[in-house]
Amino acid sequence: MKSDSVAMVALPSKTHKQETVCIFGTGDFGISLGLRLLQSGYNVVYGSRDPKNSKLLPKGSKVMTHAEAAHEAQVIFVAVQREHYGFLSSLASDLDGKVLVDISNNLRSGMYTESNAEYMSTLVPAATVVKAFNTISAWALQSGGLDANRQVLVCGDRADAKQLVVDIAQALGFSALDKGSLKAASELEDLPLQLFPLWRLPLHIAIGLTAFIFFYVLIRDVIYEGVTNGKDISFRIMISMANKAFPIVALVMLALCYLPGALAGFLQIYNGTKYRRFPDWLDRWMLCRKQLGLLALAFAFLHVLYTLVIPIRYYVVYRRNVYVISLVKDNITYEFDKTAAWRYDSYFSMGILGFVLFVLLGITSFPSVSNSLNWREFRFVQSKLGYITLLLCTLHTFLYGWNKFLKPHVYKWWMPPAYMLSLVVPCVVLILKLILITPCVDNKVTRIRQGWERRSKTSQKTSQPLMA
């Protein structure tokens, strides 16, 4: 019976490295790939439209015409842009049964209706096209994957062809991940075009919060003094105001890391099941918690650095000297206040402990560290120690404000101090967590996450036996 499908060509079994690998293209990527292949023990042959002018190729490789090079290897890397694929059609007979590895990317998403790899397969239908190595840079090839992305994404319609490419990737020091059929090539080609996709929302939140808090403090501290008292204290913008904005942003963003988890717990209680999908906004929020935490840690580091320079600031030294001189002139003794001593020591202690745990959370979020932990250890650090960190940082802020909220003069233009704004989200998160860890609620959430589902009234009625 006659079939319209292309005949399947048997590929050689892969029990050792390919003797020779062919590369079409002598650009930066082709040169870096050839060099890495030579270092890994492969023979490399380049296919070029002008072999005589290809002088910058790695030592030990060969260069010849495309047709000649195609006969030298089973696996051929096509390191040219889509606009130059036209020569492949003229090599259809030479590429029969070969495995073509498409490594190309586009300048922007949606340039073509089909992926580059699928387009290549239409030009050379007798060959097997595999999409791979398009997410690897020339620098990653030169460094052997030690200082760059180590993962090669692979997709194609034939498992044996993909295995040949996977074996080459592993021989070069990379890990390979099979992404399925060639239809996934469009997704792979869009990946290099994405600029920090999981960082966009956290960055927008960080920029928005920083701008809001900065202008809020500017109005309360600088503009208020200029309007009501005629004082110009704009010099405080560089250190004092920045050191008020950074810790507030750090604390709020740390709380935002744990708020979606608490909301998810209450949502599961409301739904009575874990099998109902979370809203898209909550899913997106939960996916970027790591980025939120790392940005929060960055702001906490800035707060620490800005705090360390406070004793050597000109304004602080000047105020200290003026105050000491005034005490001496007026013969006034500075009385020791035990309450203030306890408050300030506790304030610094909470801050130091909170920052140390904050750094620990950041370290364990890195893949090199998190991969060495089992799930229970990772959950203990990121969840339990995370909430302790949030509690310590919140106490640090409470001790900073102390009883200021009771003094009417701190409400400038009826605007509360900035530190009070920073306590809203952390307190909400801690209260929600306190509710979730109470035995009656915690037991219900645990049962739901273990698969228990609340039966609806309609299902209860239908399950009841009929009375005679």
Side-chain angles (χ1 to χ4, degrees):
M1 182 172 133
K2 189 175 179 179
S3 174
D4 294 331
S5 61
V6 178
M8 300 293 285
V9 179
L11 297 173
S13 60
K14 187 71 174 69
T15 57
H16 54 79
K17 294 180 184 177
Q18 291 289 312
E19 291 293 332
T20 303
V21 173
C22 177
I23 301 174
F24 284 175
T26 55
D28 292 339
F29 189 91
I31 293 174
S32 300
L33 177 60
L35 178 61
R36 188 64 189 165
L37 286 167
L38 288 168
Q39 292 172 345
S40 301
Y42 287 93
N43 296 321
V44 177
V45 57
Y46 283 93
S48 174
R49 58 188 172 185
D50 191 3
K52 294 182 179 179
N53 291 330
S54 302
K55 300 178 180 179
L56 300 177
L57 301 179
K59 186 178 180 180
S61 63
K62 298 178 182 179
V63 58
M64 53 190 70
T65 64
H66 291 119
E68 293 172 336
H71 291 285
E72 298 291 325
Q74 177 66 29
V75 178
I76 302 173
F77 285 85
V78 184
V80 298
Q81 294 298 326
R82 175 177 176 141
E83 293 78 7
H84 306 295
Y85 282 179
F87 74 96
L88 294 174
S89 298
S90 61
L91 300 173
S93 60
D94 300 299
L95 299 176
D96 188 1
K98 304 292 184 179
V99 176
L100 302 184
V101 184
D102 175 36
I103 57 91
S104 65
N105 289 309
N106 297 319
L107 295 177
R108 62 181 184 275
S109 180
M111 284 186 66
Y112 305 102
T113 56
E114 59 184 351
S115 67
N116 296 345
E118 290 173 309
Y119 173 64
M120 182 185 293
S121 67
T122 63
L123 296 177
V124 194
T128 302
V129 177
V130 175
K131 186 75 181 184
F133 282 87
N134 67 303
T135 58
I136 301 295
S137 65
W139 166 250
L141 290 168
Q142 293 174 11
S143 63
L146 297 178
D147 301 317
N149 183 17
R150 296 177 61 92
Q151 191 173 68
V152 174
L153 304 180
V154 182
C155 72
D157 292 333
R158 291 187 55 182
D160 50 358
K162 288 190 289 185
Q163 188 59 47
L164 293 178
V165 180
V166 167
D167 291 334
I168 292 175
Q170 293 175 344
L172 299 186
F174 297 99
S175 61
L177 178 63
D178 190 342
K179 298 293 288 184
S181 69
L182 202 61
K183 291 182 179 180
S186 296
E187 179 185 345
L188 267 60
E189 291 170 6
D190 285 340
L191 288 176
L193 301 176
Q194 298 177 6
L195 183 62
F196 305 117
L198 292 178
W199 288 86
R200 290 178 185 174
L201 178 60
L203 283 172
H204 289 160
I205 293 174
I207 294 172
L209 270 176
T210 304
F212 171 76
I213 297 299
F214 184 84
F215 284 110
Y216 186 88
V217 176
L218 178 67
I219 293 171
R220 288 192 77 261
D221 292 2
V222 178
I223 297 179
Y224 177 85
E225 285 296 324
V227 173
T228 58
N229 301 322
K231 293 182 180 180
D232 180 13
I233 58 172
S234 57
F235 63 88
R236 301 186 65 182
I237 292 176
M238 299 305 296
I239 298 294
S240 298
M241 286 181 53
N243 203 30
K244 285 186 177 181
F246 292 153
I248 292 174
V249 175
L251 180 58
V252 173
M253 292 191 68
L254 176 62
L256 290 177
C257 293
Y258 295 95
L259 181 56
L263 294 177
F266 281 99
L267 197 58
Q268 287 178 332
I269 294 174
Y270 176 79
N271 293 330
T273 178
K274 71 173 184 177
Y275 298 110
R276 183 174 296 181
R277 185 180 178 86
F278 292 134
D280 290 339
W281 60 268
L282 185 57
D283 265 337
R284 188 182 176 194
W285 190 353
M286 296 182 74
L287 286 174
C288 67
R289 286 180 294 179
K290 174 182 175 180
Q291 289 74 19
L292 283 170
L294 290 176
L295 284 175
L297 180 58
F299 280 99
F301 263 110
L302 287 174
H303 173 51
V304 170
L305 294 176
Y306 272 70
T307 302
L308 291 176
V309 304
I310 288 178
I312 61 175
R313 287 181 61 205
Y314 172 80
Y315 173 70
V316 174
V317 173
Y318 171 79
R319 287 289 301 271
R320 185 189 300 120
N321 292 338
V322 169
Y323 180 70
V324 172
I325 292 172
S326 65
L327 291 178
V328 174
K329 287 178 62 177
D330 298 335
N331 196 24
I332 298 176
T333 301
Y334 185 78
E335 297 292 339
F336 180 79
D337 188 342
K338 289 186 178 180
T339 302
W342 270 102
R343 172 201 167 191
Y344 283 111
D345 283 359
S346 301
Y347 163 70
F348 289 123
S349 179
M350 295 297 103
I352 293 171
L353 292 174
F355 181 70
V356 170
L357 290 180
F358 210 158
V359 173
L360 179 61
L361 292 177
I363 293 174
T364 54
S365 69
F366 294 128
S368 58
V369 178
S370 61
N371 290 341
S372 65
L373 303 175
N374 61 40
W375 172 243
R376 187 174 183 181
E377 294 168 341
F378 181 79
R379 186 171 178 271
F380 172 80
V381 173
Q382 292 294 326
S383 181
K384 291 183 171 56
L385 290 187
Y387 275 105
I388 293 175
T389 303
L390 181 61
L391 177 61
L392 291 173
C393 293
T394 304
L395 290 176
H396 175 69
T397 307
F398 269 114
L399 290 168
Y400 166 80
W402 199 240
N403 61 351
K404 289 181 182 178
F405 70 97
L406 297 175
K407 300 176 182 179
H409 70 273
V410 301
Y411 296 89
K412 301 174 181 179
W413 285 337
W414 298 281
M415 300 170 68
Y419 85 90
M420 293 179 64
L421 301 181
S422 70
L423 290 171
V424 175
V425 180
C427 288
V428 169
V429 174
L430 291 173
I431 291 172
L432 292 178
K433 182 61 177 177
L434 182 62
I435 296 173
L436 287 173
I437 62 175
T438 54
C440 57
V441 179
D442 181 60
N443 290 338
K444 190 167 187 178
V445 173
T446 302
R447 289 179 62 198
I448 291 174
R449 291 176 177 173
Q450 289 177 345
W452 177 85
E453 291 186 89
R454 183 177 62 240
R455 299 172 64 186
S456 63
K457 292 181 179 180
T458 56
S459 63
Q460 288 178 355
K461 288 179 180 180
T462 55
S463 63
Q464 289 178 355
L466 295 176
M467 300 297 293

